[in-house]
Amino acid sequence: MQVTERSHKAQKVIDRLQKKLNRQMVLSLAGCVHCGMCTDSCHYVLANPDDPTYAPAYKADQIRKLFKRHVDWTGRVFPWWVKAKSVYSDEDLEELKDIVFGKCTNCRRCTLNCPMGVDFATANRMARGLLVSVGVMPEGVAVVSKDQWEIGNQMGVLKEEYLETLEWMDDELQDELGVRHSLIPVDKKGAEIMYTINPREIKYDPRTIADAAKVFTLAGVDWTMPSEGWDMTNFGLFSGDDDLGGTVAKRVYEKAAELGVKRVVISECGHGYRSTRCEGPNWGGVNIGFEMESAVITMLRYIKEGKIKVDRDRNSVPVTFHDSCNNARSCGLYEEPRELIHLVCTDFREMYPNRAENYCCTGGGGAMSMSEYTPRRLKSARIKADQLRATGAKIVITSCHNCVDGLSDLIKHYNLDMEVTQLVNLVANAVVIPEKIEVMEKPAAVVHTLKGFRILVIDDEPETRTYLSTVLEDNAADTIQATDGLEGIEIARKEQPDLITLDISMPQMDGGEVFARLREDPATRGIPVCIVTGKPELRKLIYDKPYRPPEGYLDKPVEEETLVRNMRKILELASGASKEAAETL
Amino acid sequence: MQESALLHFTAHRLQEISLVFMAVVYSIRLYWLFRFKAGGDRQPRTGRLTTSPIKGAIYSLGNIAMPWAMESTRTNIFFWAQFVIFHLGVTAAITLSFVIPYAPGILENPVIVWLFQIFIGAAFLVGCYRMIRRIAVPVMRAISTPDDYFSLGLLTVWFFFAGLAAPNDVSRGEGLLITFFILTAFFLVYVPFSKISHYLYYPFMRYYLGRSLGYRGVYPIQRSATPENG
C-alpha cells in the first residue's frame, strides 16, 4: 500500500533538499548514466563482490531518487520510469542513513573513476547533512558533533586538560633537549606561526605535539599554540553540517587573526587539513588574511632551508606511505610527503596504487566514530591490508590521524607485522640536535588563586547565583551578581570585571543576546566570558554568532572544583591585565 | 526512383520539427541548470604549482579520450573500446540522418556506405552486448531503471535500421528508410527526457570537476609509472 502521509522529519528532508543544491550537485545527481564504471573503484565493493548495494552508483541512486522525484523533470511526472522515489517515514530515513553513513567513507575514489565526473562523495556528504539536520545519524556522529559545538573540539577535551598536556609535553621536551626554558608558547601574540592540532593528539598521542615542538624549537622559529581554536579537525566535513563546518573553521581563523600570526600550520590530519585549509573558507563564507599549510610542507621547508639538519640513517626500517584521501584526492598533497620521507628515511617502498588513486584506510568519513558499522569497515579493510602487505614495509607512514586509527585497527585485525607512524615522529627522530639551543621564553602568567579577581555572575536563578558566588568567594575572588542580562551588561560596563559567568536561558534577554552585546561593546569586548548553562541545546545562541567564542563553557550543575579550575585557567589565559594581577600574588 | 510523400515527410519535415523541439527543450534544460548557483573555491590554491584550474578543466574534459587517465578505463580497455565504438556509431547514425535527405549523393559511393554500415553495425553489436550485460550482471541490474533499458534498446534498434537504411536505396522499398526516420524523430524528442541527455551535462560536469581539482592540485593525476615493490 502506498504511504502518502509523510513524517515530520521526512518532510523536512524534502524541504531542505532544494536549499542544498548547487549547480555541481545538480549535475552530479542528473548526469549519471549507470554505466557501472565506478563499481570496482570502491573498497566496499571489492570486499563484497556479491552485494550490489555497495556499488557507488547504487548508493548514489538512493540519494538521486529523491532529487529525481522532487526536482528533476521526468521523475516528477513518471517516477517509476527513472526509479524516482520520495521518503515518507522515519524508517525510510534510517535506511538512507545506513547507506550514506555505513556504506561509504566519502573517500572520493569513485569520483575520480567516473567517466562523466559524477562527484558521488559530495552528494553523499549532502545527504548526510540533510539527515543530520533532522537528527537522523549514528550516535557517534551526534556525540562528536555535540562536543565540537559545545566544547570546541571533537573529543570533548577541556581547556585545562589541553593546557596541562602542553605543559607535560613542554617538560618532556625540556628534559630531552636539556634546557630550562618553556618550549611550547601559548597565545603568543605576533608569533610567526600558530600550530593547530587534532584533539586525538591530546587524548592518545601527545608525543606528536612534543615532536612538532622539537622541530619548531630547533628550527628557531617564532611560534605559538592557541588556547582556543586549536582544534583544526572538523566534524562538519563528515556530518555534512556546513554550519558546524563553518563555525569550527572560523574558531581557528579568528584565533589566528586575534594573535596576529602570519601562518597557521596544520598538524598531520587529512580531514583537518582539507577542512581548515580548503573547505573552511567556503563553509564559513570568509576570506583568509594569513597563510595556512600542512606541517608536512613546513617541515620539508625547514630541511630545505637548512633550518634543521636531519640524519636519515636514524630511520632505517623499511617504510611505506599511505596517502590520506582528503590530502591526496581533495587537496593535492601527495608529493611533499614523499619528498620529506626521502630526506628522513633510508628505505622507502611505494604502495600501489598511490597518491590520488590510493585506497581509503577505511577509517575515513567519520567511520571510526560509528561503532555500529565496525564489522563492515573491517571487512572492507581487506583491500587495504593486501596493499600494505605487498609493500613488505615494517612501518606505514600516514599524514592523517583518522588513517592512523583506521590502519592500526586493520593491521591488528589482519595480523600484519607493521606499525603506523606519522612524518612528524620520523622527522623528530632524524633531527640533529645542535650543541647550543636558542629559545624564546614564554611570557606566561600563572594564576594560583582567584585572589584579586572580580567575577561578575549573571544568572536569573537565585540559587545558582548564590552557589557560584559563594564558591568563587571561598576561593578569594570578589564577586558581583546580576539577576538578568540587562543588569549584567550595565554592571560589566561600569565595573569592568576580570571575568563574567553567563547563563543562557534567562527571561527578557537571553544569554545569546547578552553575549552578543558584550562582544559588540568596545568597553566589554575584552572581558572573558564563561557560559554556565543547564540547557546545552541552546548553544547555537552563542556559537552561531559572528563573534569570538566564549573563553569557557560549563554545564550545570557544575562542581566546585571544576568551576574554580576553569576560572583559574580562563584568567590565566586572559590578556595582560590578568598577568599583571597574577604577578602580584 | 522518386520518394513517396510519406518518406519525404519523415526525412524532412518530421526531422526538422523534432530538431526544433529538442533544441527548445534543451534550451529550457540549460536555463533550469543555470538557475542553480555554481559553487566555487574561496581558499588559496593547493598542491602542485605546475597545474591550474584551466589545466585541470582541460584534462578533465579530455579524460574520456585518455583511457590511461582513469583506473576504471585503464584496467578495462575492452569496456572503453565499446564506449568508443558505441559513440562513433551514434555519430554515424546522426550524420546519416542528415546525409540521406540533404546530401544523398555522398551515398552513391559504396565505400562510404560500407563505412557507415561498419561503424553503425559495430555499435549495434555493442548495444546488444551492453543490453545483455545490463540484464545479466547483478550490479548493473541493481542500478538500471526502465529508462536505462529503454534508451539502450531504442538506440540499438535505431542502429539496426540505420545500418540497413545506409544504402538509401528506395528501389528495395521505403519501409527501412521510413522506420529509420521515425525512430530518429522519436529519438530526438525523447532524448531530453531520458538518460541520453547526459551529453548535454557532460561538458559542464567535467569542467566544474576539473576546474576544482586543478585548483586543488589533483588534476592532472600523478602516479608512479611502475611498481617498485609489491
Side-chain angles (χ1 to χ4, degrees):
Chain A
M1 192 180 76
Q2 177 70 42
V3 182
T4 49
E5 286 280 313
R6 196 173 270 126
S7 73
H8 177 71
K9 286 180 180 178
Q11 186 58 52
K12 286 284 176 199
V13 165
I14 302 304
D15 293 344
R16 289 169 185 169
L17 173 64
Q18 276 278 3
K19 292 174 191 161
K20 283 267 188 184
L21 297 172
N22 64 14
R23 196 176 303 156
Q24 287 93 327
M25 186 62 64
V26 168
L27 286 163
S28 280
L29 292 171
C32 177
V33 292
H34 293 145
C35 68
M37 292 294 277
C38 55
T39 306
D40 290 339
S41 64
C42 175
H43 59 277
Y44 280 108
V45 174
L46 297 176
N48 300 276
D50 298 326
D51 187 347
T53 65
Y54 282 103
Y58 179 86
K59 292 182 279 193
D61 274 354
Q62 308 316 302
I63 304 160
R64 193 171 283 122
K65 67 185 183 184
L66 285 177
F67 168 81
K68 286 184 173 177
R69 186 71 187 89
H70 295 280
V71 184
D72 206 359
W73 295 5
T74 314
R76 291 164 78 171
V77 183
F78 303 110
W80 58 275
W81 189 244
V82 290
K83 284 192 179 173
K85 201 177 163 195
S86 189
V87 283
Y88 294 95
S89 64
D90 291 354
E91 287 72 31
D92 291 343
L93 298 181
E94 287 293 326
E95 276 178 31
L96 188 57
K97 180 191 90 173
D98 185 71
I99 288 168
V100 302
F101 284 102
K103 290 187 172 180
C104 175
T105 56
N106 281 0
C107 80
R108 227 178 181 190
R109 199 166 190 276
C110 56
T111 301
L112 265 58
N113 278 293
C114 172
M116 285 294 293
V118 171
D119 194 352
F120 167 53
T122 306
N124 198 62
R125 181 178 176 272
M126 180 199 74
R128 286 183 176 197
L130 284 171
L131 292 174
V132 165
S133 76
V134 294
V136 177
M137 64 192 115
E139 192 183 347
V141 173
V143 170
V144 177
S145 299
K146 182 175 180 287
D147 279 347
Q148 202 151 27
W149 269 118
E150 293 173 3
I151 301 174
N153 64 84
Q154 63 163 282
M155 285 193 172
V157 175
L158 295 174
K159 196 167 186 174
E160 186 190 42
E161 189 184 351
Y162 167 72
L163 293 170
E164 279 175 358
T165 305
L166 295 191
E167 282 176 22
W168 170 34
M169 286 301 107
D170 199 340
D171 292 343
E172 296 261 315
L173 187 57
Q174 286 181 40
D175 289 343
E176 185 185 345
L177 298 181
V179 294
R180 287 295 104 197
H181 300 290
S182 177
L183 298 174
I184 304 183
V186 176
D187 279 351
K188 187 175 176 191
K189 291 205 172 189
E192 185 191 336
I193 284 169
M194 180 174 106
Y195 186 56
T196 56
I197 59 170
N198 184 319
R200 182 185 170 279
E201 296 178 67
I202 297 290
K203 283 276 187 190
Y204 307 116
D205 200 6
R207 188 65 222 171
T208 56
I209 302 168
D211 283 347
K214 185 177 173 183
V215 172
F216 287 130
T217 301
L218 296 179
V221 292
D222 186 11
W223 73 293
T224 187
M225 291 191 73
S227 61
E228 301 278 354
W230 52 266
D231 179 11
M232 51 65 183
T233 69
N234 197 322
F235 220 70
L237 181 69
F238 298 150
S239 68
D241 182 349
D242 289 350
D243 287 342
L244 176 62
T247 301
V248 171
K250 280 199 277 189
R251 284 177 192 155
V252 175
Y253 306 152
E254 283 165 7
K255 190 66 187 180
E258 180 195 322
L259 293 177
V261 298
K262 289 182 188 149
R263 179 177 290 146
V264 170
V265 173
I266 299 158
S267 79
E268 289 176 87
C269 176
H271 98 269
Y273 180 64
R274 181 178 170 190
S275 300
T276 308
R277 172 68 177 77
C278 292
E279 312 293 0
N282 303 312
W283 293 330
V286 291
N287 293 318
I288 305 302
F290 45 82
E291 291 176 32
M292 290 189 280
E293 69 183 14
S294 163
V296 172
I297 296 171
T298 313
M299 292 187 290
L300 179 61
R301 191 172 57 247
Y302 290 165
I303 296 174
K304 282 180 167 178
E305 290 175 353
K307 285 187 173 173
I308 53 172
K309 303 227 177 307
V310 287
D311 176 5
R312 63 202 289 259
D313 290 334
R314 292 182 189 173
N315 296 316
S316 57
V317 178
V319 298
T320 187
F321 182 69
H322 163 80
D323 289 280
S324 136
C325 305
N326 284 311
N327 279 341
R329 263 194 285 281
S330 289
C331 297
L333 180 64
Y334 44 74
E335 295 303 347
E336 293 89 344
R338 284 173 172 77
E339 209 178 332
L340 188 52
I341 290 169
H342 282 297
L343 290 170
V344 298
C345 297
T346 56
D347 188 356
F348 172 58
R349 302 174 180 199
E350 190 62 271
M351 189 189 299
Y352 294 91
N354 53 55
R355 295 172 171 84
E357 293 189 339
N358 189 27
Y359 283 108
C360 175
C361 71
T362 68
M368 299 308 291
S369 64
M370 306 175 208
S371 56
E372 59 269 54
Y373 304 128
T374 300
R376 273 185 210 170
R377 173 169 62 79
L378 287 172
K379 187 180 179 190
S380 74
R382 182 178 59 74
I383 312 307
K384 191 81 230 173
D386 291 344
Q387 240 191 318
L388 291 173
R389 196 181 286 114
T391 65
K394 293 292 175 191
I395 291 176
V396 53
I397 307 166
T398 185
S399 286
C400 172
H401 282 280
N402 259 327
C403 297
V404 169
D405 286 339
L407 294 172
S408 300
D409 230 15
L410 76 87
I411 284 171
K412 193 176 162 194
H413 186 77
Y414 288 95
N415 296 315
L416 304 181
D417 182 21
M418 290 183 114
E419 287 176 16
V420 188
T421 194
Q422 295 204 292
L423 266 165
V424 70
N425 307 123
L426 295 171
V427 173
N429 190 48
V431 74
V432 177
I433 299 171
E435 284 183 13
K436 190 182 175 191
I437 301 168
E438 289 181 13
V439 291
M440 294 180 197
E441 286 194 51
K442 180 172 74 170
V446 180
V447 176
H448 298 286
T449 79
L450 297 177
K451 189 178 175 187
F453 292 105
R454 277 198 308 167
I455 300 174
L456 169 60
V457 177
I458 308 177
D459 203 306
D460 63 311
E461 295 171 7
E463 300 83 13
T464 308
R465 269 201 321 273
T466 306
Y467 169 73
L468 294 176
S469 300
T470 305
V471 171
L472 295 172
E473 284 170 8
D474 285 350
N475 282 274
D478 293 330
T479 64
I480 319 166
Q481 295 184 24
T483 57
D484 60 46
L486 278 174
E487 188 187 5
I489 292 167
E490 198 52 44
I491 294 175
R493 271 200 206 111
K494 211 159 133 188
E495 301 291 335
Q496 291 290 305
D498 298 297
L499 195 155
I500 298 170
T501 73
L502 177 62
D503 185 22
I504 297 183
S505 176
M506 293 189 290
Q508 292 178 340
M509 184 185 287
D510 66 55
E513 182 60 28
V514 177
F515 177 73
R517 292 206 190 180
L518 287 170
R519 285 291 197 246
E520 279 168 4
D521 189 340
T524 56
R525 187 177 293 159
I527 303 173
V529 175
C530 180
I531 304 297
V532 182
T533 180
K535 294 187 177 175
E537 67 274 16
L538 299 178
R539 63 179 187 270
K540 277 197 162 195
L541 292 175
I542 300 290
Y543 289 101
D544 271 4
K545 295 209 163 11
Y547 306 108
R548 188 179 83 242
E551 281 71 12
Y553 183 99
L554 292 169
D555 277 324
K556 288 180 187 173
V558 53
E559 288 181 11
E560 180 176 342
E561 191 188 332
T562 308
L563 175 67
V564 175
R565 194 172 59 215
N566 276 274
M567 297 297 109
R568 274 202 298 117
K569 282 293 169 190
I570 293 170
L571 289 164
E572 188 173 306
L573 292 165
S575 60
S578 63
K579 183 190 166 202
E580 284 172 22
E583 285 168 354
T584 63
L585 295 172
Chain B
M1 194 175 166
Q2 192 67 34
E3 64 183 12
S4 70
L6 178 61
L7 177 57
H8 186 82
F9 171 76
T10 56
H12 290 83
R13 187 55 54 86
L14 185 61
Q15 301 306 306
E16 288 153 13
I17 293 168
S18 304
L19 276 169
V20 169
F21 178 81
M22 188 181 78
V24 170
V25 179
Y26 269 169
S27 302
I28 296 170
R29 195 76 167 161
L30 283 177
Y31 171 74
W32 170 81
L33 175 65
F34 277 84
R35 278 173 53 216
F36 293 95
K37 197 180 167 195
D41 276 323
R42 206 182 258 267
Q43 77 282 7
R45 278 177 58 185
T46 52
R48 291 166 293 135
L49 295 173
T50 50
T51 187
S52 66
I54 297 290
K55 281 187 183 175
I58 292 170
Y59 174 83
S60 179
L61 284 161
N63 220 355
I64 203 63
M66 301 183 286
W68 60 89
M70 287 190 298
E71 182 192 80
S72 55
T73 46
R74 188 168 63 239
T75 58
N76 201 350
I77 287 292
F78 177 61
F79 191 90
W80 183 82
Q82 286 177 50
F83 150 81
V84 174
I85 291 167
F86 192 81
H87 286 82
L88 284 176
V90 172
T91 310
I94 291 172
T95 307
L96 190 66
S97 73
F98 286 97
V99 168
I100 291 175
Y102 301 112
I106 292 173
L107 297 171
E108 286 169 10
N109 183 340
V111 176
I112 291 175
V113 173
W114 293 339
L115 282 174
F116 269 114
Q117 288 185 316
I118 288 168
F119 279 117
I120 293 169
F124 168 74
L125 293 175
V126 169
C128 293
Y129 172 79
R130 284 190 164 192
M131 184 61 89
I132 293 166
R133 173 176 175 263
R134 199 169 274 284
I135 292 167
V137 178
V139 168
M140 294 306 296
R141 218 165 40 235
I143 62 177
S144 295
T145 65
D147 175 45
D148 291 323
Y149 292 112
F150 183 77
S151 296
L152 181 57
L154 174 67
L155 280 171
T156 306
V157 171
W158 182 56
F159 287 144
F160 178 79
F161 283 98
L164 296 177
N168 191 26
D169 184 0
V170 291
S171 64
R172 289 158 58 188
E174 292 183 344
L176 289 173
L177 283 163
I178 290 171
T179 309
F180 169 60
F181 282 116
I182 289 175
L183 279 172
T184 306
F186 181 74
F187 167 71
L188 293 173
V189 171
Y190 177 67
V191 161
F193 305 100
S194 75
K195 67 171 276 186
I196 308 171
S197 61
H198 67 273
Y199 66 82
L200 181 72
Y201 302 130
Y202 178 81
F204 300 107
M205 292 175 79
R206 296 296 330 178
Y207 167 75
Y208 284 120
L209 184 71
R211 189 187 70 172
S212 177
L213 293 183
Y215 190 72
R216 292 169 181 230
V218 180
Y219 269 1
I221 294 281
Q222 297 281 303
R223 61 191 175 92
S224 295
T226 53
E228 294 157 8
N229 295 284

